[in-house]
Each structure stands twice: as C-alpha cells, then as structure tokens.
Amino acid sequence: MKPMPKSLYLAAGAYTVSLGTGRPEFNPRKPRPGLEHYIQEAGQASLAQISDPNLIDEGVIGNFMAARFNKQGHLGSLMTIAHPALEGKPMIRVEGACASGGLALATGIKSVLSGLAESVLVMGVEVQNTVKAIYGADILAGAGWYAGERKQGGTYFFPEKFSQRAGAFGAKFGEEKTRGAMAAWYATAVENARLNPLAQEHHNAVKDLMAQGLTPPDGRSFCEHLNLFHCSKVSDGGAAIIVCSKEGYKRLGLKRDDVVKIVGYGHAAANLTVPPPDLTELTTSRKASGLARKMAGISKDDYGVIEVHDCFSITGMLSLEALELVAPGESVELVIAGENKRNGRFPTNTGGGLVGYGHPTGATGVRMAVDLWKQLTGRAGDYQIPLKKEHGIMISMGGNDKTVVSLVVRK
Amino acid sequence: MKPMPKSLYLAAGAYTVSLGTGRPEFNPRKPRPGLEHYIQEAGQASLAQISDPNLIDEGVIGNFMAARFNKQGHLGSLMTIAHPALEGKPMIRVEGACASGGLALATGIKSVLSGLAESVLVMGVEVQNTVKAIYGADILAGAGWYAGERKQGGTYFFPEKFSQRAGAFGAKFGEEKTRGAMAAWYATAVENARLNPLAQEHHNAVKDLMAQGLTPPDGRSFCEHLNLFHCSKVSDGGAAIIVCSKEGYKRLGLKRDDVVKIVGYGHAAANLTVPPPDLTELTTSRKASGLARKMAGISKDDYGVIEVHDCFSITGMLSLEALELVAPGESVELVIAGENKRNGRFPTNTGGGLVGYGHPTGATGVRMAVDLWKQLTGRAGDYQIPLKKEHGIMISMGGNDKTVVSLVVRK
C-alpha cells in the first residue's frame, strides 16, 4: 500500500443541530427548515473560518434521498446557495446511501489529489422529517436492493436487517451479554450527546439509560432483536468541512494547528444484490478501514479517537471489530467494560454518534470527519477528550455494509 | 488555463437501446427491463472489449432519479452486478440532474488524475418508463428548485422552462425563423436516428418530418412555444465507457487507435434558486465548454464532431451558440442551412442526440462520450461520418443550464 500521494488536510469543520424527536425546538406539526437552511448554515459556518470563500475551488455534497424526502435532486447546483463565491464553480452531488457523506469526502480528496483543486468545500445534508417514520423506512430501504430483497423485508426494512445481525451475533457469542452490550452502547451514546449541544439526545435526562437499553425488543410492533433505543435517530441536519492541500490551507489563512492531516483513505463496495457473507461481521467495513490504516502506515493501536457508523447499537459494536480493535465477538466485553467511552482505551463517537447526536443520513459521514477534526484540533468544547494518541479513524458505511469509506487523520 | 495534467483516454464505449415509445419492443403495459438489466448490458459490453475486467480499479455511475422512478438508491453498490471483478472496489454514484453522466465522466477523470486509479469504468443509467409521463414530469422537476420555482411551474415543468426560452429567442431573433430551425433540428435528429439501430426514433418512417416539427404548439394541453416533436424522449437505457491513463489502456490490451485522448475538461455550476440571467443564452454551457476548449488549447473551428444536450430542439440550437460556433441568434441560419447535419460544417449529435436517440437522463452524458469515441475511432457503423477534423466536444447539461460538464477529445 502506497502512502497518500500528496499531503492533504481537513479544515474549517462545522455542523448543525441534528433536528428531530428529542430536540426541544422540534415540532412535528410545524414547518421546519428545509435543505436550503442546512446547506447555508453548515456551509457558512465552515466558510466563516477561512480568509476568503473565493479561494474555494470546488464543492461536493453528499445526500442520500432528497429525491424522495424533499422531491429535490441536483443538489450540487443547490449547494451554491451557501455562498456567492461558489457560483460558476464545479459542484457535484454524490450518493451511496448512508455513506454519502464519506463519498463526499472521498470525492474532495480526489479533486485535490488530481491537481485541479487546492481547496474543496465538502458538505453533507439530509432532511428526513418530512414524512412519517413508517414511510421514511420505505424510502431508506432504497439503500438496499429494492427490486430484490426489499420485497422480503418487513415494514422497517433496515432495522430488520440489523436486528438479524444482532440475533446472529447473540446466537454466536451469547444473547444476554450481547443485549447488555447493546444497552451499554446506547447509554454511552446518550452520555456523550449530553456534552454536545448540537446532539439530538442532548436534553435526554433519563436516569436509568441501561434500563431503557435493556427493554425487551417487541418483535410484533418493531424488531425481534432490537428496540427503538438501539436505533439511530430520524434527523435533519447538515455538515461541512474543507479538504485542501498544504498550499490550500495556507492560502485560506489557516495554520497547521487549525487542520488535521489525512494520512489514510480506503473505499470499498460490495454487491448490493447479495446478502452479507457473515451476519456477525462487517466485511466491507473491515476491508475499507484496513486499506485506510495501511495507507496511513499505522497500527490499530494508534487511534486516539474513533468515529463509527452506529446506525444501530449492534452496528457500532461490529464496527469496532471491523477496525480490528478486538477479535470477533469481543466487542461485547469492550463495550461492557466501557473501553469505548470518552476516558476508555478507544474513545468512540465522542459527540454522540448516530444514536446520540443523530443521523441526518447524507450528512453523517461529513459530520464524523468534523468530529475527528474537532477532537484533534481541540475544538470539541464540552465533549473534548484529552488525546492520548494523535490519530483518528472514521468508518462511513452505507446500507448493510455495502459501501464504506474510511479515513485516517493525524493531529 | 493549464493543459490536462496527465494523459487521459476514453476506451471501450458501449450503450444500450434507448427504450421507450417509438421502439417496436416497447410495450407500456408489459414488464420491462429494470436498472439491473441496463447496468449489466452496458457494463458487460464495455468490459468485453478489454483484456481483463480485473484491471478496472474503480467504478462510477451517473443516475438522476432512480430514487423516484425505481425507489432505488445506492447505485454504486448496485453497479457491481455488471461484473464480479468489480466486487470490493471503490464504487460511487454521482448526480447532477441530466448532467449526471457528465459528472460521472468528470469523476472518472479525477480518479485517474489523482493517481489512485489507472482505469475507471464510467457508467450512466436511467429507467423512466415506470410511471406515466405526467408523473415523470414532476419527478424530473427535481432538476429545478423544487421548494421554489416548482410551485410556479405548470404540469410539464421543464418543457415549460424551455418553451419560455424558445419564446424569448423567437421574440428576439424572429419567431417564424426560430420555429423553422426547431423543426429542422427535429428532422435532422430523426434522420440521424434512422442510421443508429439503438436509437428510439430508429424506426421512424414519417416522410414529412418538417411538417411534424412545424405543427403549431398547443399551449393549452402542452406548451406555448414547443410541440412534442421538439422534446427529447422518455427513455430507459444505459451507457458505459472506460476513463484511463496511457498505462491503463495499454494494460487493458488496447492500442492508441482504440482510444481517444481527453484533452479538455470544463465543469461549472450555477445557483439553482436563481433564474437564468438571459433566457436566450446558455451561460453555464458557454462557460464550461470554453474552459474545456481552452484546456485543450484549440479553436472553436477545430471540432470534427459535436455532441450537445438537445433536451429540446431549442436547447440544441442554444448549445451551438454556447460553443461559440456562431454568434447569438445565428444558430437559426446554421440549422436551417443544415450545417449541423452529418455532412455539414458542424456534424452534431450524429447518432440522433436526445431528440433522436433518446434521453435516459443519467446515461445521456456517458452516451455522448461513447458517440464521440465511436466517431473518432471509426466504430459508428451506419452513422459513421468521414471526419474532417480530429477533435470532438460534448456538452452534458443538467436542469435549466445549471450544471454543465464539457469534454474535448482528440482522435
């Protein structure tokens, strides 16, 4: 594996509130901000951190399903509303289900590596609360093979898919322990979210989070092996960050302390029409994060901060195994021992992750990069952790482990 | 403008039939092939031309609205069904309305320029005949600003937008002459399609095409300044081509005669929420194609073959002006004199274009690149033209001139 062919950096990150149930400002019966609002809020918060927005050469925006949630395509062109300086420049929307944000980062990386751009504004956006959850679940099922597996799926297609993973994992490694670890994952996510004012679960004041997480799943109204607390949130939100060269960040008026270096990158896709080879493993996530780690030339013990795609609690646990932090099945002990907490050996999803912060699908991968950037540049505010190691890694995953982008960054 | 930073080529092009009204095999009441079929047919036809599909490093697929036409997202992952060799590799879907195919080419170009890939399979696909035209028109309106201008638009949103352009153009440069030129555009498109066995209008045997083109528009049931003959078709189809480096095409077992060189590239986006600055001009198309021409270091008289985005006859005419072949307004004389025909000074849309071949939206930009490749490598069969000049140019346009990718290629 060759190293990154050119020095690349992440700069000027920002994301919005994750709006949805749980946020005090959320009222399902009142009009709410649209795509336009989140593009502008996140984009402007990023561009406000640089000397001159005219220095942005290109834009890329990750979005999954605005076509159905908002009847809106063509988001590259819409993205220009973030700032007049974007007018006339190359803009593109990319999509890979819930990995759309990760793909936006990958696209920004390639633009800078290509030599055609020095600084690329990378955004992600999703506004999902336009429909009821039950319709939303069908929309999100477009991340799976709609003409094929969708027909066999239940009402809640993706919860069902990951419930099957939780069931298989429990059968192999112990059902009770697995449920305990999933409950602990939820509790940690909310604890982290309480420190992040933008998180959807920020105001969650429940005392016994473990009891919620341990509530027996109701297979009749929802899923067999997951309850609602194990799910990521239905969210509206946006995120933005700048991918740039060394020359790029200097031109933007930034210092090395303001940016993090992208030292590893991995991207892998698997066949959407074929079931996962092993329900208890995220093989594509393992592949992509392995590629990123090898490009970075580091060991799996070198991560000071981690962002994984916990669309469900079980997915978070499987992601830690895909990162090879522990052997298959051992994420249970890791999470029960709290090693994934802010003060643990593997601080993971420190801003709340998908379960705690929320999951505005197309924005999520970009939000992850922003959280790594925040932690490694000391900008995470109340949820800042004392860094023990200088690298961070993220896994942006789409569908049932079908598209994965992983980045390794360094302080 | 710097030249292309690295030698890039287009290789192994292929596209499918454009299926829809007009094709004898099209029956609106019977089940028809889905996205999967077109991905496999186009992808396999491309990969069959190279020594070993395992040498493909990455894949990119352009698609506009599978989310609504087919309820399917995540097409990067779906694209792996084209060949087992794609499994595990980086795959991405890109979207920019009807410029999605152009953006797929741009993404392939950047991947090869980045040094991360030597050969990228670039595809485009759309399957639109899943809904009635009137619903389809609303889906396609997602290429405009849905939360804004859509609300003012009529039943047929985009036909109405370009009808307004036709009206403004006629008012400025002469209504009758403009209608004559639009009719001639249609007639030429069908004449070209008759030579292309994959074209939707291939079997069109109407004798007096000009009479059809001159049929007065019916503003009550359709648009004020356009009739149905001036529209591109509602189509299902796919296209594929390989973007590669010099090392790339050699590894694929190809010779210089089998490929065309990409010598110019331009990409520009305009604000989706703002009306066009001038209804009689395609300012973004002008900008992007100017960038491509300058990167190629050639003059506007150097094109031996041209592909423009004639989503409507008037758009084709405006595109020739955006290419600066003639001054504003003069496309009328150009088209009436037949200079855009196969044997004219500016052979344009030789395989039928969007009006004659058809317009499977996400595939169209890639299909254009394939047609340029076919003409410049002598593979266009019955519609092969004798080349007078060695360069080709294409304009892939999205929405109302809001996203444009232009490529200049050389024999």
Side-chain angles (χ1 to χ4, degrees), chain A residues 285-361:
Chain A
S285 293
R286 181 181 290 261
K287 176 170 185 170
S289 61
L291 288 170
R293 189 178 68 229
K294 279 171 203 134
M295 187 188 268
I298 61 168
S299 120
K300 57 199 172 163
D301 300 316
D302 288 338
Y303 307 131
V305 57
I306 295 167
E307 283 286 332
V308 296
H309 190 90
D310 58 332
C311 49
F312 302 93
S313 53
I314 185 68
T315 329
M317 293 161 57
L318 292 175
S319 298
L320 298 180
E321 299 183 7
L323 286 171
E324 302 183 24
L325 302 179
V326 287
E330 292 181 5
S331 65
V332 170
E333 285 75 21
L334 188 162
V335 172
I336 287 174
E339 302 259 48
N340 60 319
K341 286 180 190 274
R342 328 172 12 82
N343 57 355
R345 271 179 70 203
F346 309 108
T348 302
N349 293 6
T350 59
L354 285 66
V355 169
Y357 164 75
H359 186 21
T361 44

Side-chain angles (χ1 to χ4, degrees), chain B residues 46-390:
Chain B
S46 173
L47 295 175
Q49 300 175 47
I50 62 171
S51 59
D52 180 2
N54 290 297
L55 294 169
I56 297 295
D57 297 310
E58 297 190 1
V60 49
I61 186 162
N63 169 267
F64 176 26
M65 273 288 182
R68 291 188 69 194
F69 286 120
N70 323 97
K71 297 194 177 181
Q72 184 65 65
H74 210 171
L75 294 195
S77 167
L78 187 62
M79 181 184 171
T80 60
I81 65 172
H83 198 283
L86 301 177
E87 175 72 22
K89 292 183 178 167
M91 299 282 146
I92 186 170
R93 172 215 172 187
V94 299
E95 184 265 327
C98 301
S100 298
L103 290 173
L105 293 162
T107 303
I109 286 171
K110 286 182 186 168
S111 276
V112 179
L113 288 179
S114 77
L116 297 176
E118 298 293 340
S119 302
V120 179
L121 180 63
V122 174
M123 297 188 63
V125 71
E126 205 83 45
V127 172
Q128 305 186 291
N129 283 295
T130 54
V131 300
K132 287 186 181 177
I134 194 163
Y135 301 119
D138 183 65
I139 290 175
L140 298 173
W145 184 30
Y146 206 93
E149 61 179 351
R150 175 69 186 106
K151 285 176 185 159
Q152 311 138 27
T155 310
Y156 295 97
F157 180 74
F158 269 98
E160 191 49 54
K161 288 284 158 194
F162 284 92
S163 169
Q164 287 164 13
R165 283 189 180 272
F169 190 90
K172 193 165 174 183
F173 301 113
E175 196 178 336
E176 203 173 327
K177 280 200 309 179
T178 299
R179 280 180 56 195
M182 293 198 300
W185 185 277
Y186 162 70
T188 298
V190 174
E191 285 162 11
N192 287 342
R194 285 173 179 163
L195 299 172
N196 181 357
L198 301 171
Q200 213 165 318
E201 293 289 343
H202 180 62
H203 303 273
N204 182 327
V206 168
K207 279 192 185 144
D208 195 349
L209 294 167
M210 280 301 288
Q212 285 190 325
L214 286 169
T215 309
D218 176 0
R220 282 203 304 179
S221 72
F222 192 57
C223 296
E224 198 178 343
H225 305 285
L226 295 177
N227 67 34
L228 282 170
F229 301 107
H230 299 153
C231 301
S232 54
K233 317 291 292 185
V234 176
S235 313
D236 305 344
I241 200 162
I242 295 169
V243 175
C244 50
S245 64
K246 191 169 190 173
E247 221 179 281
Y249 82 71
K250 287 183 176 173
R251 265 198 241 163
L252 300 176
L254 301 172
K255 300 201 189 75
R256 180 63 183 84
D257 278 357
D258 300 321
V259 301
V260 300
K261 189 168 182 178
I262 306 171
V263 291
Y265 153 81
H267 174 188
N271 189 329
L272 193 64
T273 68
V274 174
D278 182 342
L279 288 180
T280 67
E281 277 199 45
L282 300 178
T283 47
T284 314
S285 293
R286 181 180 290 262
K287 175 168 186 174
S289 60
L291 289 170
R293 189 178 70 228
K294 279 171 203 136
M295 186 187 270
I298 61 169
S299 120
K300 58 199 174 164
D301 299 316
D302 289 338
Y303 308 131
V305 56
I306 294 168
E307 283 286 332
V308 297
H309 189 93
D310 58 331
C311 49
F312 302 93
S313 53
I314 184 68
T315 328
M317 293 161 55
L318 292 174
S319 297
L320 298 180
E321 299 182 7
L323 286 171
E324 302 181 26
L325 303 181
V326 287
E330 291 181 5
S331 64
V332 170
E333 284 75 20
L334 188 162
V335 172
I336 288 175
E339 303 258 47
N340 60 319
K341 287 180 189 274
R342 335 176 0 86
N343 57 354
R345 271 180 70 203
F346 309 107
T348 302
N349 294 6
T350 59
L354 285 65
V355 169
Y357 163 76
H359 185 21
T361 43
T364 290
V366 182
R367 194 273 310 149
M368 289 178 159
V370 176
D371 268 334
L372 290 183
W373 170 83
K374 284 185 177 183
Q375 287 291 1
L376 293 174
T377 62
R379 284 166 164 86
D382 288 347
Y383 65 98
Q384 181 70 47
I385 57 166
L387 279 174
K388 292 173 195 157
K389 290 165 184 175
E390 64 179 2

Side-chain angles (χ1 to χ4, degrees), chain A residues 2 4-5 36 58 63-65 67-68 70-78 80-81 86-98 103-104 106-107 109-111 113-116 138-139 141-148 265 267-273 284 287 291 295 398-400 402-403, chain B residues 2 4-5 36 58 63-65 67-68 70-78 80-81 86-98 103-104 106-107 109-111 113-116 138-139 141-148 265 267-273 284 287 291 295 398-400 402-403:
Chain A
K2 288 186 283 187
M4 187 67 82
E36 295 80 359
E58 297 191 1
N63 169 266
F64 176 26
M65 273 289 180
R68 292 188 69 193
N70 323 98
K71 297 193 176 182
Q72 183 66 64
H74 211 170
L75 294 194
S77 167
L78 188 62
T80 60
I81 64 172
L86 302 178
E87 175 73 21
K89 293 184 178 166
M91 300 282 147
I92 186 170
R93 172 216 172 185
V94 299
E95 184 265 325
C98 302
L103 290 173
T107 303
I109 286 171
K110 286 180 186 169
S111 276
L113 288 180
S114 78
L116 297 177
D138 183 65
I139 291 174
W145 184 30
Y146 205 93
Y265 154 79
H267 174 189
N271 188 327
L272 194 64
T273 67
T284 314
K287 176 170 185 170
L291 288 170
M295 187 188 268
N400 196 351
K402 290 302 188 187
T403 293
Chain B
K2 288 185 283 187
M4 187 69 80
E36 295 81 359
E58 297 190 1
N63 169 267
F64 176 26
M65 273 288 182
R68 291 188 69 194
N70 323 97
K71 297 194 177 181
Q72 184 65 65
H74 210 171
L75 294 195
S77 167
L78 187 62
T80 60
I81 65 172
L86 301 177
E87 175 72 22
K89 292 183 178 167
M91 299 282 146
I92 186 170
R93 172 215 172 187
V94 299
E95 184 265 327
C98 301
L103 290 173
T107 303
I109 286 171
K110 286 182 186 168
S111 276
L113 288 179
S114 77
L116 297 176
D138 183 65
I139 290 175
W145 184 30
Y146 206 93
Y265 153 81
H267 174 188
N271 189 329
L272 193 64
T273 68
T284 314
K287 175 168 186 174
L291 289 170
M295 186 187 270
N400 196 351
K402 290 302 187 185
T403 294

